[in-house]
Amino acid sequence: MEVEVGSGSVFADLGFPDAAELDIKVRLAVEIVRLINARRLSQVAAAHLLKINQPKVSALKNYKLDGFSVERLMTFLLALGQDVEIRIRSRASLKTRGRIIVEANST
């Protein structure tokens, strides 16, 4: 059996040209959905809180993220009472490609 080692990004491995953005969107959406579920919000209540309509909450919960920008997803996290931090720092080596990391502290 031949095994191919992945890059760490399923979207890059599948050849998506916008793999980094898709990865960020999914990680943000996972946290948004986790918060909605943890609060046991109905889709209607979540829509009211996020200031979107219920079908968009449904799309979000089903990870259909085409209509959502990274900025909008971060705004949803703010509406759900979360802080969003963006840190910029130097890479250890200029030979490696920069990366964006989304990390959620679930407490």
Side-chain angles (χ1 to χ4, degrees), residues 19-36:
E21 182 180 4
L22 287 171
D23 187 62
I24 294 165
K25 283 182 174 184
V26 168
R27 290 174 189 273
L28 293 171
V30 164
E31 185 62 13
I32 293 164
V33 171
R34 186 195 69 75
L35 290 163
I36 290 170

Side-chain angles (χ1 to χ4, degrees), residues 7-52:
S7 69
S9 169
V10 68
F11 300 112
D13 292 344
L14 292 172
F16 285 91
D18 53 350
E21 182 180 4
L22 287 171
D23 187 62
I24 294 165
K25 283 182 174 184
V26 168
R27 290 174 189 273
L28 293 171
V30 164
E31 185 62 13
I32 293 164
V33 171
R34 186 195 69 75
L35 290 163
I36 290 170
N37 291 340
R39 293 182 185 188
R40 297 183 179 176
L41 295 173
S42 68
Q43 288 190 9
V44 171
H48 180 73
L49 183 65
L50 301 177
K51 296 181 173 54
I52 58 176

Side-chain angles (χ1 to χ4, degrees), residues 20-90:
E21 182 180 4
L22 287 171
D23 187 62
I24 294 165
K25 283 182 174 184
V26 168
R27 290 174 189 273
L28 293 171
V30 164
E31 185 62 13
I32 293 164
V33 171
R34 186 195 69 75
L35 290 163
I36 290 170
N37 291 340
R39 293 182 185 188
R40 297 183 179 176
L41 295 173
S42 68
Q43 288 190 9
V44 171
H48 180 73
L49 183 65
L50 301 177
K51 296 181 173 54
I52 58 176
N53 60 30
Q54 180 276 324
K56 288 188 177 168
V57 173
S58 179
L60 183 61
K61 289 188 84 171
N62 287 298
Y63 300 98
K64 296 179 181 175
L65 304 175
D66 287 342
F68 300 101
S69 66
V70 170
E71 181 180 12
R72 192 169 189 200
L73 294 170
M74 288 191 294
T75 302
F76 294 162
L77 287 166
L78 296 175
L80 289 163
Q82 304 301 297
D83 288 332
V84 177
E85 294 180 17
I86 298 173
R87 292 187 220 175
I88 301 170
R89 59 181 171 212
S90 297

